[in-house]
PDB file of all heavy atoms in Angstrom:
ATOM      1  N   VAL A  10     -10.974   0.120   2.856  1.00  0.00           N
ATOM      2  CA  VAL A  10     -10.732   1.459   3.266  1.00  0.00           C
ATOM      3  C   VAL A  10     -10.744   1.625   4.733  1.00  0.00           C
ATOM      4  O   VAL A  10     -11.007   0.711   5.477  1.00  0.00           O
ATOM      5  CB  VAL A  10     -11.780   2.395   2.667  1.00  0.00           C
ATOM      6  CG1 VAL A  10     -12.187   1.960   1.315  1.00  0.00           C
ATOM      7  CG2 VAL A  10     -12.973   2.523   3.549  1.00  0.00           C
ATOM      8  N   ILE A  11     -10.528   2.761   5.175  1.00  0.00           N
ATOM      9  CA  ILE A  11     -10.786   3.399   6.439  1.00  0.00           C
ATOM     10  C   ILE A  11      -9.679   4.290   6.873  1.00  0.00           C
ATOM     11  O   ILE A  11      -8.510   4.035   6.723  1.00  0.00           O
ATOM     12  CB  ILE A  11     -11.110   2.432   7.592  1.00  0.00           C
ATOM     13  CG1 ILE A  11     -10.006   1.488   7.818  1.00  0.00           C
ATOM     14  CG2 ILE A  11     -12.406   1.791   7.381  1.00  0.00           C
ATOM     15  CD1 ILE A  11     -10.296   0.488   8.881  1.00  0.00           C
ATOM     16  N   ALA A  12     -10.067   5.316   7.445  1.00  0.00           N
ATOM     17  CA  ALA A  12      -9.193   6.346   7.975  1.00  0.00           C
ATOM     18  C   ALA A  12     -10.057   7.308   8.658  1.00  0.00           C
ATOM     19  O   ALA A  12     -11.192   7.474   8.284  1.00  0.00           O
ATOM     20  CB  ALA A  12      -8.447   7.030   6.821  1.00  0.00           C
ATOM     21  N   PRO A  13      -9.569   7.967   9.712  1.00  0.00           N
ATOM     22  CA  PRO A  13     -10.431   8.842  10.452  1.00  0.00           C
ATOM     23  C   PRO A  13     -10.779  10.097   9.663  1.00  0.00           C
ATOM     24  O   PRO A  13      -9.968  10.630   8.959  1.00  0.00           O
ATOM     25  CB  PRO A  13      -9.627   9.182  11.693  1.00  0.00           C
ATOM     26  CG  PRO A  13      -8.227   8.896  11.324  1.00  0.00           C
ATOM     27  CD  PRO A  13      -8.271   7.867  10.263  1.00  0.00           C
ATOM     28  N   GLY A  14     -11.972  10.559   9.822  1.00  0.00           N
ATOM     29  CA  GLY A  14     -12.339  11.827   9.251  1.00  0.00           C
ATOM     30  C   GLY A  14     -12.645  11.822   7.772  1.00  0.00           C
ATOM     31  O   GLY A  14     -12.685  10.790   7.148  1.00  0.00           O
ATOM     32  N   ASN A  15     -12.807  13.000   7.228  1.00  0.00           N
ATOM     33  CA  ASN A  15     -13.093  13.149   5.824  1.00  0.00           C
ATOM     34  C   ASN A  15     -11.829  13.056   5.034  1.00  0.00           C
ATOM     35  O   ASN A  15     -10.768  13.480   5.465  1.00  0.00           O
ATOM     36  CB  ASN A  15     -13.765  14.519   5.588  1.00  0.00           C
ATOM     37  CG  ASN A  15     -14.212  14.688   4.171  1.00  0.00           C
ATOM     38  OD1 ASN A  15     -13.407  14.956   3.317  1.00  0.00           O
ATOM     39  ND2 ASN A  15     -15.516  14.568   3.949  1.00  0.00           N
ATOM     40  N   SER A  16     -11.908  12.523   3.828  1.00  0.00           N
ATOM     41  CA  SER A  16     -10.695  12.354   3.019  1.00  0.00           C
ATOM     42  C   SER A  16     -10.024  13.672   2.731  1.00  0.00           C
ATOM     43  O   SER A  16      -8.833  13.753   2.533  1.00  0.00           O
ATOM     44  CB  SER A  16     -11.025  11.653   1.690  1.00  0.00           C
ATOM     45  OG  SER A  16     -11.879  12.475   0.931  1.00  0.00           O
ATOM     46  N   ARG A  17     -10.786  14.740   2.699  1.00  0.00           N
ATOM     47  CA  ARG A  17     -10.191  16.043   2.426  1.00  0.00           C
ATOM     48  C   ARG A  17      -9.254  16.472   3.548  1.00  0.00           C
ATOM     49  O   ARG A  17      -8.449  17.372   3.384  1.00  0.00           O
ATOM     50  CB  ARG A  17     -11.280  17.105   2.235  1.00  0.00           C
ATOM     51  CG  ARG A  17     -12.226  16.774   1.098  1.00  0.00           C
ATOM     52  CD  ARG A  17     -11.469  16.683  -0.248  1.00  0.00           C
ATOM     53  NE  ARG A  17     -12.351  16.341  -1.335  1.00  0.00           N
ATOM     54  CZ  ARG A  17     -12.441  15.136  -1.852  1.00  0.00           C
ATOM     55  NH1 ARG A  17     -11.714  14.157  -1.390  1.00  0.00           N
ATOM     56  NH2 ARG A  17     -13.284  14.896  -2.847  1.00  0.00           N
ATOM     57  N   GLN A  18      -9.386  15.852   4.724  1.00  0.00           N
ATOM     58  CA  GLN A  18      -8.489  16.171   5.814  1.00  0.00           C
ATOM     59  C   GLN A  18      -7.247  15.320   5.773  1.00  0.00           C
ATOM     60  O   GLN A  18      -6.313  15.571   6.516  1.00  0.00           O
ATOM     61  CB  GLN A  18      -9.198  15.927   7.158  1.00  0.00           C
ATOM     62  CG  GLN A  18     -10.456  16.776   7.332  1.00  0.00           C
ATOM     63  CD  GLN A  18     -11.238  16.366   8.544  1.00  0.00           C
ATOM     64  OE1 GLN A  18     -11.112  15.268   9.051  1.00  0.00           O
ATOM     65  NE2 GLN A  18     -12.085  17.255   9.056  1.00  0.00           N
ATOM     66  N   GLN A  19      -7.216  14.313   4.933  1.00  0.00           N
ATOM     67  CA  GLN A  19      -6.111  13.354   4.977  1.00  0.00           C
ATOM     68  C   GLN A  19      -4.992  13.736   4.047  1.00  0.00           C
ATOM     69  O   GLN A  19      -3.870  13.313   4.216  1.00  0.00           O
ATOM     70  CB  GLN A  19      -6.634  11.951   4.617  1.00  0.00           C
ATOM     71  CG  GLN A  19      -7.745  11.470   5.525  1.00  0.00           C
ATOM     72  CD  GLN A  19      -7.339  11.425   6.951  1.00  0.00           C
ATOM     73  OE1 GLN A  19      -6.244  10.977   7.269  1.00  0.00           O
ATOM     74  NE2 GLN A  19      -8.165  11.937   7.816  1.00  0.00           N
ATOM     75  N   GLY A  20      -5.263  14.446   2.979  1.00  0.00           N
ATOM     76  CA  GLY A  20      -4.214  14.744   2.030  1.00  0.00           C
ATOM     77  C   GLY A  20      -4.057  16.259   1.894  1.00  0.00           C
ATOM     78  O   GLY A  20      -4.079  17.011   2.863  1.00  0.00           O
ATOM     79  N   ASP A  21      -3.917  16.739   0.640  1.00  0.00           N
ATOM     80  CA  ASP A  21      -3.819  18.165   0.487  1.00  0.00           C
ATOM     81  C   ASP A  21      -5.163  18.790   0.694  1.00  0.00           C
ATOM     82  O   ASP A  21      -6.163  18.130   0.947  1.00  0.00           O
ATOM     83  CB  ASP A  21      -3.232  18.514  -0.921  1.00  0.00           C
ATOM     84  CG  ASP A  21      -4.089  17.944  -2.031  1.00  0.00           C
ATOM     85  OD1 ASP A  21      -5.321  18.235  -2.027  1.00  0.00           O
ATOM     86  OD2 ASP A  21      -3.556  17.227  -2.857  1.00  0.00           O
ATOM     87  N   SER A  22      -5.248  20.118   0.588  1.00  0.00           N
ATOM     88  CA  SER A  22      -6.449  20.832   0.935  1.00  0.00           C
ATOM     89  C   SER A  22      -7.648  20.405   0.088  1.00  0.00           C
ATOM     90  O   SER A  22      -8.793  20.557   0.515  1.00  0.00           O
ATOM     91  CB  SER A  22      -6.258  22.344   0.808  1.00  0.00           C
ATOM     92  OG  SER A  22      -5.899  22.667  -0.537  1.00  0.00           O
ATOM     93  N   GLU A  23      -7.427  19.855  -1.099  1.00  0.00           N
ATOM     94  CA  GLU A  23      -8.536  19.448  -1.936  1.00  0.00           C
ATOM     95  C   GLU A  23      -8.581  17.968  -2.145  1.00  0.00           C
ATOM     96  O   GLU A  23      -9.343  17.445  -2.940  1.00  0.00           O
ATOM     97  CB  GLU A  23      -8.420  20.155  -3.318  1.00  0.00           C
ATOM     98  CG  GLU A  23      -8.513  21.690  -3.218  1.00  0.00           C
ATOM     99  CD  GLU A  23      -8.381  22.336  -4.557  1.00  0.00           C
ATOM    100  OE1 GLU A  23      -8.518  21.634  -5.592  1.00  0.00           O
ATOM    101  OE2 GLU A  23      -8.201  23.536  -4.621  1.00  0.00           O
ATOM    102  N   GLY A  24      -7.760  17.205  -1.410  1.00  0.00           N
ATOM    103  CA  GLY A  24      -7.788  15.764  -1.493  1.00  0.00           C
ATOM    104  C   GLY A  24      -7.315  15.229  -2.815  1.00  0.00           C
ATOM    105  O   GLY A  24      -7.749  14.165  -3.254  1.00  0.00           O
ATOM    106  N   ARG A  25      -6.428  15.959  -3.562  1.00  0.00           N
ATOM    107  CA  ARG A  25      -6.020  15.545  -4.890  1.00  0.00           C
ATOM    108  C   ARG A  25      -4.943  14.482  -4.821  1.00  0.00           C
ATOM    109  O   ARG A  25      -4.157  14.402  -3.897  1.00  0.00           O
ATOM    110  CB  ARG A  25      -5.504  16.765  -5.672  1.00  0.00           C
ATOM    111  CG  ARG A  25      -6.545  17.814  -5.966  1.00  0.00           C
ATOM    112  CD  ARG A  25      -5.928  18.918  -6.801  1.00  0.00           C
ATOM    113  NE  ARG A  25      -4.874  19.565  -6.046  1.00  0.00           N
ATOM    114  CZ  ARG A  25      -4.929  20.832  -5.639  1.00  0.00           C
ATOM    115  NH1 ARG A  25      -6.029  21.543  -5.910  1.00  0.00           N
ATOM    116  NH2 ARG A  25      -3.932  21.387  -5.004  1.00  0.00           N
ATOM    117  N   GLN A  26      -4.883  13.685  -5.892  1.00  0.00           N
ATOM    118  CA  GLN A  26      -3.766  12.775  -6.040  1.00  0.00           C
ATOM    119  C   GLN A  26      -2.536  13.518  -6.475  1.00  0.00           C
ATOM    120  O   GLN A  26      -2.640  14.670  -6.941  1.00  0.00           O
ATOM    121  CB  GLN A  26      -4.067  11.700  -7.110  1.00  0.00           C
ATOM    122  CG  GLN A  26      -4.216  12.256  -8.502  1.00  0.00           C
ATOM    123  CD  GLN A  26      -4.426  11.166  -9.493  1.00  0.00           C
ATOM    124  OE1 GLN A  26      -5.137  10.230  -9.216  1.00  0.00           O
ATOM    125  NE2 GLN A  26      -3.820  11.270 -10.622  1.00  0.00           N
ATOM    126  N   PRO A  44      -0.004  12.074   2.516  1.00  0.00           N
ATOM    127  CA  PRO A  44      -0.181  10.659   2.145  1.00  0.00           C
ATOM    128  C   PRO A  44       0.143  10.454   0.673  1.00  0.00           C
ATOM    129  O   PRO A  44      -0.057  11.316  -0.141  1.00  0.00           O
ATOM    130  CB  PRO A  44      -1.667  10.418   2.402  1.00  0.00           C
ATOM    131  CG  PRO A  44      -2.300  11.771   2.152  1.00  0.00           C
ATOM    132  CD  PRO A  44      -1.261  12.813   2.611  1.00  0.00           C
ATOM    133  N   ARG A  46      -1.011   8.761  -2.697  1.00  0.00           N
ATOM    134  CA  ARG A  46      -2.322   8.377  -3.228  1.00  0.00           C
ATOM    135  C   ARG A  46      -2.130   7.459  -4.397  1.00  0.00           C
ATOM    136  O   ARG A  46      -1.071   7.381  -4.994  1.00  0.00           O
ATOM    137  CB  ARG A  46      -3.107   9.635  -3.652  1.00  0.00           C
ATOM    138  CG  ARG A  46      -3.448  10.502  -2.440  1.00  0.00           C
ATOM    139  CD  ARG A  46      -4.353  11.653  -2.826  1.00  0.00           C
ATOM    140  NE  ARG A  46      -4.653  12.467  -1.643  1.00  0.00           N
ATOM    141  CZ  ARG A  46      -5.611  12.185  -0.810  1.00  0.00           C
ATOM    142  NH1 ARG A  46      -6.425  11.137  -1.010  1.00  0.00           N
ATOM    143  NH2 ARG A  46      -5.850  12.941   0.249  1.00  0.00           N
ATOM    144  N   ARG A 190      -3.640   3.872  10.908  1.00  0.00           N
ATOM    145  CA  ARG A 190      -4.859   4.682  10.984  1.00  0.00           C
ATOM    146  C   ARG A 190      -5.729   4.168  12.092  1.00  0.00           C
ATOM    147  O   ARG A 190      -5.834   2.950  12.271  1.00  0.00           O
ATOM    148  CB  ARG A 190      -5.696   4.533   9.695  1.00  0.00           C
ATOM    149  CG  ARG A 190      -5.251   5.305   8.528  1.00  0.00           C
ATOM    150  CD  ARG A 190      -6.252   5.055   7.369  1.00  0.00           C
ATOM    151  NE  ARG A 190      -5.566   5.298   6.139  1.00  0.00           N
ATOM    152  CZ  ARG A 190      -5.369   6.484   5.598  1.00  0.00           C
ATOM    153  NH1 ARG A 190      -5.828   7.535   6.189  1.00  0.00           N
ATOM    154  NH2 ARG A 190      -4.694   6.595   4.474  1.00  0.00           N
ATOM    155  N   PRO A 231      -2.166  12.937  12.110  1.00  0.00           N
ATOM    156  CA  PRO A 231      -2.796  12.962  10.783  1.00  0.00           C
ATOM    157  C   PRO A 231      -3.818  11.855  10.524  1.00  0.00           C
ATOM    158  O   PRO A 231      -4.733  12.074   9.719  1.00  0.00           O
ATOM    159  CB  PRO A 231      -1.605  12.815   9.832  1.00  0.00           C
ATOM    160  CG  PRO A 231      -0.516  12.134  10.652  1.00  0.00           C
ATOM    161  CD  PRO A 231      -0.712  12.658  12.044  1.00  0.00           C
ATOM    162  N   ARG A 232      -3.714  10.735  11.239  1.00  0.00           N
ATOM    163  CA  ARG A 232      -4.597   9.643  10.911  1.00  0.00           C
ATOM    164  C   ARG A 232      -5.159   8.946  12.171  1.00  0.00           C
ATOM    165  O   ARG A 232      -5.566   7.793  12.126  1.00  0.00           O
ATOM    166  CB  ARG A 232      -3.882   8.615  10.024  1.00  0.00           C
ATOM    167  CG  ARG A 232      -3.878   9.015   8.555  1.00  0.00           C
ATOM    168  CD  ARG A 232      -2.968   8.211   7.707  1.00  0.00           C
ATOM    169  NE  ARG A 232      -1.582   8.628   7.852  1.00  0.00           N
ATOM    170  CZ  ARG A 232      -1.047   9.679   7.248  1.00  0.00           C
ATOM    171  NH1 ARG A 232      -1.784  10.446   6.500  1.00  0.00           N
ATOM    172  NH2 ARG A 232       0.237   9.961   7.434  1.00  0.00           N
ATOM    173  N   GLN A 234      -8.028   9.606  15.302  1.00  0.00           N
ATOM    174  CA  GLN A 234      -9.095  10.500  15.723  1.00  0.00           C
ATOM    175  C   GLN A 234      -9.840   9.892  16.906  1.00  0.00           C
ATOM    176  O   GLN A 234      -9.892   8.679  17.076  1.00  0.00           O
ATOM    177  CB  GLN A 234     -10.079  10.735  14.585  1.00  0.00           C
ATOM    178  CG  GLN A 234      -9.523  11.612  13.486  1.00  0.00           C
ATOM    179  CD  GLN A 234     -10.593  12.121  12.532  1.00  0.00           C
ATOM    180  OE1 GLN A 234     -11.794  12.044  12.841  1.00  0.00           O
ATOM    181  NE2 GLN A 234     -10.194  12.587  11.394  1.00  0.00           N
ATOM    182  N   HIS A 263     -17.383  10.587  15.752  1.00  0.00           N
ATOM    183  CA  HIS A 263     -17.803   9.179  15.593  1.00  0.00           C
ATOM    184  C   HIS A 263     -18.209   8.604  16.962  1.00  0.00           C
ATOM    185  O   HIS A 263     -17.789   9.094  18.004  1.00  0.00           O
ATOM    186  CB  HIS A 263     -16.678   8.340  14.985  1.00  0.00           C
ATOM    187  CG  HIS A 263     -16.548   8.552  13.513  1.00  0.00           C
ATOM    188  ND1 HIS A 263     -15.981   9.667  12.945  1.00  0.00           N
ATOM    189  CD2 HIS A 263     -16.839   7.723  12.468  1.00  0.00           C
ATOM    190  CE1 HIS A 263     -15.966   9.560  11.634  1.00  0.00           C
ATOM    191  NE2 HIS A 263     -16.500   8.394  11.309  1.00  0.00           N
ATOM    192  N   LEU A 407     -16.919   2.920   8.459  1.00  0.00           N
ATOM    193  CA  LEU A 407     -16.277   3.990   9.262  1.00  0.00           C
ATOM    194  C   LEU A 407     -16.292   5.343   8.548  1.00  0.00           C
ATOM    195  O   LEU A 407     -15.728   6.314   9.050  1.00  0.00           O
ATOM    196  CB  LEU A 407     -14.833   3.583   9.561  1.00  0.00           C
ATOM    197  CG  LEU A 407     -14.686   2.408  10.558  1.00  0.00           C
ATOM    198  CD1 LEU A 407     -13.220   1.993  10.645  1.00  0.00           C
ATOM    199  CD2 LEU A 407     -15.225   2.790  11.910  1.00  0.00           C
ATOM    200  N   GLY A 408     -16.944   5.413   7.396  1.00  0.00           N
ATOM    201  CA  GLY A 408     -17.033   6.690   6.679  1.00  0.00           C
ATOM    202  C   GLY A 408     -15.754   7.099   6.035  1.00  0.00           C
ATOM    203  O   GLY A 408     -15.493   8.275   5.826  1.00  0.00           O
ATOM    204  N   LEU A 409     -14.905   6.137   5.683  1.00  0.00           N
ATOM    205  CA  LEU A 409     -13.585   6.417   5.096  1.00  0.00           C
ATOM    206  C   LEU A 409     -13.450   5.947   3.676  1.00  0.00           C
ATOM    207  O   LEU A 409     -12.334   5.914   3.147  1.00  0.00           O
ATOM    208  CB  LEU A 409     -12.498   5.818   5.991  1.00  0.00           C
ATOM    209  CG  LEU A 409     -12.432   6.309   7.417  1.00  0.00           C
ATOM    210  CD1 LEU A 409     -11.398   5.530   8.222  1.00  0.00           C
ATOM    211  CD2 LEU A 409     -12.129   7.789   7.496  1.00  0.00           C
ATOM    212  N   ASP A 410     -14.545   5.584   3.062  1.00  0.00           N
ATOM    213  CA  ASP A 410     -14.441   4.945   1.716  1.00  0.00           C
ATOM    214  C   ASP A 410     -14.056   5.926   0.627  1.00  0.00           C
ATOM    215  O   ASP A 410     -13.747   5.539  -0.487  1.00  0.00           O
ATOM    216  CB  ASP A 410     -15.745   4.233   1.342  1.00  0.00           C
ATOM    217  CG  ASP A 410     -16.971   5.096   1.562  1.00  0.00           C
ATOM    218  OD1 ASP A 410     -17.172   5.619   2.702  1.00  0.00           O
ATOM    219  OD2 ASP A 410     -17.763   5.239   0.619  1.00  0.00           O
ATOM    220  N   ASP A 411     -14.042   7.231   0.972  1.00  0.00           N
ATOM    221  CA  ASP A 411     -13.486   8.190  -0.011  1.00  0.00           C
ATOM    222  C   ASP A 411     -11.987   8.372   0.197  1.00  0.00           C
ATOM    223  O   ASP A 411     -11.353   9.108  -0.562  1.00  0.00           O
ATOM    224  CB  ASP A 411     -14.213   9.534   0.083  1.00  0.00           C
ATOM    225  CG  ASP A 411     -14.105  10.163   1.473  1.00  0.00           C
ATOM    226  OD1 ASP A 411     -13.752   9.461   2.434  1.00  0.00           O
ATOM    227  OD2 ASP A 411     -14.423  11.382   1.599  1.00  0.00           O
ATOM    228  N   VAL A 412     -11.444   7.670   1.168  1.00  0.00           N
ATOM    229  CA  VAL A 412      -9.986   7.776   1.485  1.00  0.00           C
ATOM    230  C   VAL A 412      -9.259   6.476   1.228  1.00  0.00           C
ATOM    231  O   VAL A 412      -8.168   6.466   0.709  1.00  0.00           O
ATOM    232  CB  VAL A 412      -9.808   8.210   2.966  1.00  0.00           C
ATOM    233  CG1 VAL A 412      -8.333   8.431   3.266  1.00  0.00           C
ATOM    234  CG2 VAL A 412     -10.602   9.463   3.293  1.00  0.00           C
ATOM    235  N   ILE A 413      -9.831   5.369   1.657  1.00  0.00           N
ATOM    236  CA  ILE A 413      -9.181   4.056   1.567  1.00  0.00           C
ATOM    237  C   ILE A 413     -10.196   2.982   1.163  1.00  0.00           C
ATOM    238  O   ILE A 413     -11.344   3.259   0.913  1.00  0.00           O
ATOM    239  CB  ILE A 413      -8.507   3.705   2.905  1.00  0.00           C
ATOM    240  CG1 ILE A 413      -9.561   3.746   4.025  1.00  0.00           C
ATOM    241  CG2 ILE A 413      -7.339   4.643   3.204  1.00  0.00           C
ATOM    242  CD1 ILE A 413      -9.079   3.149   5.321  1.00  0.00           C
ATOM    243  N   VAL A 418      -8.466   5.529  -8.026  1.00  0.00           N
ATOM    244  CA  VAL A 418      -7.631   6.720  -8.245  1.00  0.00           C
ATOM    245  C   VAL A 418      -7.979   7.789  -7.244  1.00  0.00           C
ATOM    246  O   VAL A 418      -9.134   8.105  -6.998  1.00  0.00           O
ATOM    247  CB  VAL A 418      -7.827   7.260  -9.680  1.00  0.00           C
ATOM    248  CG1 VAL A 418      -7.146   8.602  -9.840  1.00  0.00           C
ATOM    249  CG2 VAL A 418      -7.280   6.270 -10.671  1.00  0.00           C
ATOM    250  N   GLY A 419      -6.920   8.393  -6.625  1.00  0.00           N
ATOM    251  CA  GLY A 419      -7.091   9.502  -5.699  1.00  0.00           C
ATOM    252  C   GLY A 419      -7.170   9.058  -4.248  1.00  0.00           C
ATOM    253  O   GLY A 419      -7.034   9.884  -3.363  1.00  0.00           O
ATOM    254  N   LYS A 420      -7.390   7.786  -3.991  1.00  0.00           N
ATOM    255  CA  LYS A 420      -7.416   7.314  -2.590  1.00  0.00           C
ATOM    256  C   LYS A 420      -6.014   7.145  -2.064  1.00  0.00           C
ATOM    257  O   LYS A 420      -5.055   7.023  -2.843  1.00  0.00           O
ATOM    258  CB  LYS A 420      -8.176   5.974  -2.470  1.00  0.00           C
ATOM    259  CG  LYS A 420      -9.669   6.118  -2.700  1.00  0.00           C
ATOM    260  CD  LYS A 420     -10.388   4.809  -2.321  1.00  0.00           C
ATOM    261  CE  LYS A 420     -11.893   4.943  -2.524  1.00  0.00           C
ATOM    262  NZ  LYS A 420     -12.626   3.722  -2.114  1.00  0.00           N
ATOM    263  N   GLU A 421      -5.877   7.160  -0.760  1.00  0.00           N
ATOM    264  CA  GLU A 421      -4.553   6.951  -0.171  1.00  0.00           C
ATOM    265  C   GLU A 421      -4.172   5.488  -0.270  1.00  0.00           C
ATOM    266  O   GLU A 421      -4.975   4.583  -0.259  1.00  0.00           O
ATOM    267  CB  GLU A 421      -4.573   7.426   1.291  1.00  0.00           C
ATOM    268  CG  GLU A 421      -4.817   8.897   1.404  1.00  0.00           C
ATOM    269  CD  GLU A 421      -4.741   9.445   2.810  1.00  0.00           C
ATOM    270  OE1 GLU A 421      -4.257   8.723   3.718  1.00  0.00           O
ATOM    271  OE2 GLU A 421      -5.173  10.576   3.012  1.00  0.00           O
TER     272      GLU A 421
END
Side-chain angles (χ1 to χ4, degrees):
V10 325
I11 58 183
N15 186 283
S16 65
R17 299 299 179 260
Q18 299 171 341
Q19 302 302 315
D21 59 54
S22 60
E23 297 180 14
R25 294 183 296 247
Q26 67 177 39
R46 294 185 181 274
R190 281 183 205 277
R232 279 168 281 281
Q234 290 194 15
H263 282 73
L407 291 173
L409 299 175
D410 49 307
D411 57 346
V412 184
I413 57 169
V418 171
K420 290 189 179 183
E421 294 184 15

